[in-house]
């Protein structure tokens, strides 16, 4: 039986990460910036009410809230930056997010960008433990994902936290600039996190990992039991 969500017109949220050959961003920086970009789209006044992006955002959220990360550099990045959207800058990472588009309706400037094989590394030492009270998107330590895939999953985790929060907690998070961290959970901590009643991202299985695999736990302090 087809669910209402599957029967709805399917949209996708495009994200483009800037990866210059000489200075690629660190992996964790890119993941956190992608999550921030998703929240920036959700919290933008153009995405609500009668805003210019409200209709595609509603259509996207009525479906499978898919997100696809592509990469660009040089002239590609400049062309991508000319399309309506929002660019979010992390420590060094840059991610541009665009209003949702139909699955088969990508703008030509984005459709030709590469989607597979995006990978990045974290330099040593690894990112420190997040400060107390910081929302954390915990990655499943048992799964191996390309940076592009992990960026999309981090975006899903941020999105699920946003959907679960009360309007007041959303407003507080938004006003603070959406502080968050993305970290890989310790193997012995993951089972407890995944069963703690927090939002859990389960992958649809379109790429890289098996359908239903839990990829991210969204540990926002306001959502803890």
């Amino acid at each position: 039986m087809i669910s209402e969500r599957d029967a709805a017109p399917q949209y996708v949220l495009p994200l483009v990460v800037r990866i210059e050959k000489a200075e690629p961003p660190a992996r964790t920086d890119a993941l956190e910036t992608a999550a921030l970009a998703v929240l920036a789209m959700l919290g933008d006044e153009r995405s609500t009410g009668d805003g210019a992006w409200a209709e595609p955002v509603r259509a996207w959220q009525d479906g499978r809230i898919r997100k696809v990360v592509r990469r660009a550099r040089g002239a590609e990045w400049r062309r991508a930056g000319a399309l309506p959207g929002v660019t979010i800058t992390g420590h060094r990472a840059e991610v541009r997010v665009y209003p949702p588009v139909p699955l088969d309706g990508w703008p030509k400037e984005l459709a030709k960008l590469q989607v597979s094989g995006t990978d990045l590394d974290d330099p040593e030492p690894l990112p420190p433990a997040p400060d107390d009270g910081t929302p954390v998107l915990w990655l499943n330590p048992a799964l191996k994902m390309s940076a592009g895939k992990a960026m999309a999953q981090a975006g899903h985790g941020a999105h699920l936290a946003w959907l679960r929060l009360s309007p007041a907690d959303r407003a507080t998070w938004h006003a603070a600039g959406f502080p968050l961290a993305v970290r890989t959970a310790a193997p012995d901590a993951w089972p407890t996190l995944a069963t703690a009643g927090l939002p859990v991202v389960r992958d649809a299985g379109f790429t890289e990992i098996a359908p239903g695999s839990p990829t991210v736990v969204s540990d926002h302090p306001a959502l803890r039991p």
Side-chain angles (χ1 to χ4, degrees):
M1 183 176 179
I2 298 176
S3 69
E4 289 186 14
R5 172 165 279 185
D6 288 322
Q10 297 297 305
Y11 280 65
V12 62
L13 187 77
L15 299 109
V16 176
V17 57
R18 183 179 186 181
I19 302 182
E20 300 291 347
K21 282 186 176 180
E23 295 183 295
R27 181 183 176 97
T28 295
D29 188 14
L31 268 60
E32 291 176 347
T33 306
L36 286 169
V38 172
L39 292 168
M41 175 58 63
L42 292 168
D44 196 291
E45 61 183 10
R46 289 166 290 186
S47 298
T48 62
D50 295 325
W53 301 340
E55 186 174 343
V57 167
R58 281 193 293 268
W60 168 55
Q61 293 195 103
D62 285 343
R64 282 288 177 182
I65 62 170
R66 299 183 186 187
K67 301 170 184 71
V68 172
V69 178
R70 303 193 176 205
R71 64 183 186 270
R73 64 174 183 263
E76 294 174 332
W77 175 255
R78 292 190 291 274
R79 286 192 293 269
L83 297 176
V86 180
T87 297
I88 302 298
T89 301
H91 295 292
R92 294 182 63 179
E94 293 179 77
V95 175
R96 188 162 179 84
V97 60
Y98 303 85
V101 298
L103 281 176
D104 57 355
W106 284 70
K108 65 180 186 300
E109 294 89 346
L110 304 184
K112 61 186 178 183
L113 298 177
Q114 291 294 319
V115 65
S116 61
T118 300
D119 217 345
L120 301 165
D121 295 312
D122 275 321
E124 296 290 345
L126 294 176
D131 293 336
D132 289 345
T134 300
V136 183
L137 305 174
W138 294 106
L139 302 176
N140 185 340
L143 297 177
K144 293 187 179 298
M145 296 182 281
S146 68
K149 178 71 171 180
M151 288 171 70
Q153 297 303 302
H156 291 329
H159 196 161
L160 291 189
W162 170 270
L163 291 174
R164 183 82 69 87
L165 288 169
S166 69
D169 287 329
R170 285 183 193 172
T172 298
W173 200 18
H174 191 178
F178 295 123
L180 59 82
V182 178
R183 298 289 187 271
T184 299
D188 60 349
W190 176 257
T192 299
L193 284 166
T195 56
L198 296 164
V200 179
V201 178
R202 295 191 180 277
D203 193 66
F206 295 123
T207 61
E208 296 192 24
I209 55 180
S213 299
T215 58
V216 179
V217 171
S218 304
D219 184 9
H220 191 293
L223 298 177
R224 292 173 188 161

